[in-house]
Amino acid sequence: MRLLVKRTNLLLTQYTGQFRPTMSMTTPIAGMATGSQFHKLATATKAAAATSAQPDIENDNRIMAATRPAQRQLPRASPLTDTFGRHHTYLRISLTERCNLRCEYCMPAEGVPLQPKSQLLTTEEVLRLARIFVEQGVRKIRLTGGEPTVRRDIVDIVAHLKALPQLENVGITTNGLVLTRLLLPLQRAGLDSLNISLDTLRKERFEQITRRKGWERVIAGIDLAIQLGYRPKVNCVLMRNFNEDEICDFVEFTRERPVDVRFIEYMPFSGNKWQTERLISFKETVQIIRQRWPEFQALANGPNDTSKAYAVPGFAGQLGFITSMTEHFCGTCNRLRLTADGNIKVCLFGNKEFSLRDAMRSEGSTEQQLVELIGAAVQRKKRQHAGNIIIISRSRSSRKSNSSSSRSSNSRSSRQIMNHPHQQQLRNCSTLTHINAQGKAQMVDVANKANTTRLASAEATVRVGEQLTKLIAANELAKGDVLSIAQLAGIMGAKQTSQLIPLCHNIALSSVRVQATLLESEHCVLLVATVRCNGQTGVEMEALTAVSVAALTVYDMCKAVSHDICITNVRLLSKSGGKRDFQRRQ
């Protein structure tokens, strides 16, 4: 530890040209050194009035409510103001899905499936969306992940964000592994604040929960941040039977260090096996601390703070409690989230997401359309996440909230929710090309698209069983030739697609081919449709309609013999000629 601090001082000398002496070390926590002079480096310390009587938690809540200033009311016309009058000025941007740790409550040891790079926002797209949000009223941006420091261009991203004239604060949430290398360049780029995730002050436990080494580097990163003038927030997820015996150690950590340690309530979800018994509530944690520091008292909070602030009088730092499970803070929520693949989330616990990436990449899209889409998303935000949190905390069987990246103010909480496979499915279903800014159905305007040759193919399978297979092969069904009539029905169905599917365009088709093949060994009919046109929009819906109608026709012609018929495997095989081609892998 002494070596790390010396290396930190050397870094400061090299980068700033100033010599900072190595701080004297004390060890109030077993196995860890602390700086006895850290309080001298803070720009200011919390002044807390002494109290003669020990306050209870209910009084603390009244104190915080009384000292909270009224939320500033902004014009309703803003796209960032929801139907409940909450104006969203804080945007969290996930820069990546990757992480260099494998925290056991966040993801499995082998990691999680990552999306193709082409599905993620490019740096240019991140900065473009950030600018649009800032122009609409966002004043604070926090960069998260995954782990944002794995991005090679993280320093450049911070510098470009700081160049936005109306943006007041750029922060980052990190696991701290590479801060001793990156923090000085980040500070020069303009980084205003940082949150560091650290769930234990013991090296062995760190390696246990993260499945990686690097505890010393995280501590050195916190110390470097303090020396550079930051007042870092240290985010700690409290877990019963893991780190509950370190609660007072974390309080002691604030004695001479001007840090804000924030205890985050553990959130059970399916990825961590719904271990509801691991939750340690805010009230229980305060009671534990007051057994050792009776004067531990509540501080004033800002109008949009997610953390309940507390401090021990005389300590350089303070404590905070993020009560996502037991006392939600939806009423003052001013946060929006942008995922790494370009979806806007208006609530961490909601499963509705709006794809800004798809809208931005579509032909002929304008920034005004993006603003309208953002406004439509904000308008759909609910008053609160309601019973979802209680359901999580009380029932292992409930899956309603799909909680997988959940601490609501930390990047790893977001990964808890967003990296869960079911949540990925929900997110990938969010395509909004047929929805206008008011959330109403609309036909897509293709007037500005170029005429190209569009081609699509689809298939469907009808399982008919052994008896019907023999009858179809011998053409002995009373209604006639099943395969020929199915082919004809498929062609007719393709030409009627715009009348069957409400928002499909009426397309002049160049050709429709439907193949109907009896697979006798498998007792099924395989239907394949190929549709072509020269136009401004694709024909995949025509191909899918063709095989669907053909399959229903097979059923209709065979049902007099048996109803044990199954239509299955209706799917698009390929499409080409548009902005995004598709080829199904076999």
Side-chain angles (χ1 to χ4, degrees), residues 321-394:
F321 298 88
I322 298 177
T323 59
S324 309
M325 294 293 295
T326 60
E327 297 181 17
H328 68 72
F329 31 80
C330 302
T332 58
C333 178
N334 69 334
R335 289 158 168 75
L336 299 173
R337 293 169 176 83
L338 185 63
T339 65
D341 57 355
N343 287 337
I344 177 176
K345 283 182 69 72
V346 296
C347 177
L348 186 65
F349 293 94
N351 55 25
K352 290 186 179 298
E353 300 187 10
F354 296 69
S355 179
L356 299 180
R357 177 202 64 199
D358 291 348
M360 187 165 44
R361 293 180 182 180
S362 63
E363 295 179 9
S365 67
T366 65
E367 289 199 358
Q368 181 58 36
Q369 290 172 337
L370 289 173
V371 172
E372 291 175 356
L373 183 56
I374 292 169
V378 173
Q379 288 300 298
R380 292 190 172 207
K381 185 170 183 175
K382 297 180 179 179
R383 181 184 295 273
Q384 63 186 55
H385 48 61
N388 289 354
I389 301 304
I390 304 303
I391 289 170
I392 294 174
S393 63
R394 294 181 181 175

Side-chain angles (χ1 to χ4, degrees), residues 33 69 104 115 277 304 373 383 386 432 516 577:
E104 65 175 22
Q115 298 189 71
E277 70 279 358
N304 300 115
L373 183 56
R383 181 184 295 273
L432 300 170

Side-chain angles (χ1 to χ4, degrees), residues 20 55 68 90 92 124 192 200 213 247 255 258 262 305 357 367 379 440 476 480 525 537 558 574:
R20 297 174 184 257
R68 181 177 293 135
Y90 183 179
R92 288 178 43 163
E124 291 73 18
D192 296 296
T200 178
K213 297 182 182 297
I247 291 175
R255 180 185 293 272
R262 306 197 303 176
D305 288 349
R357 177 202 64 199
E367 289 199 358
Q379 288 300 298
K440 304 297 184 181
E476 294 179 352
V525 177
T537 187
C558 296
S574 65

Side-chain angles (χ1 to χ4, degrees), residues 51 62 101-102 108 114 144 234 248 263 295 301 342 402 461 479 493 545 551 581 586:
T51 176
R62 286 194 292 270
L101 295 180
R102 292 293 181 270
L114 300 177
T144 69
V234 178
C248 290
F263 290 127
E295 68 277 21
N301 295 303
N402 303 304
T461 301
K479 290 188 176 182
T545 301
D581 291 348
Q586 298 298 324

Side-chain angles (χ1 to χ4, degrees), residues 485-520:
I485 296 176
Q487 287 177 302
L488 180 60
I491 294 171
M492 296 176 64
K495 294 191 291 184
Q496 297 296 317
T497 298
S498 63
Q499 298 182 39
L500 299 172
I501 311 297
L503 300 179
C504 283
H505 294 81
N506 187 7
I507 300 174
L509 302 179
S510 303
S511 69
V512 180
R513 291 182 299 159
V514 178
Q515 294 176 313
T517 306
L518 179 64
L519 304 179
E520 296 187 48

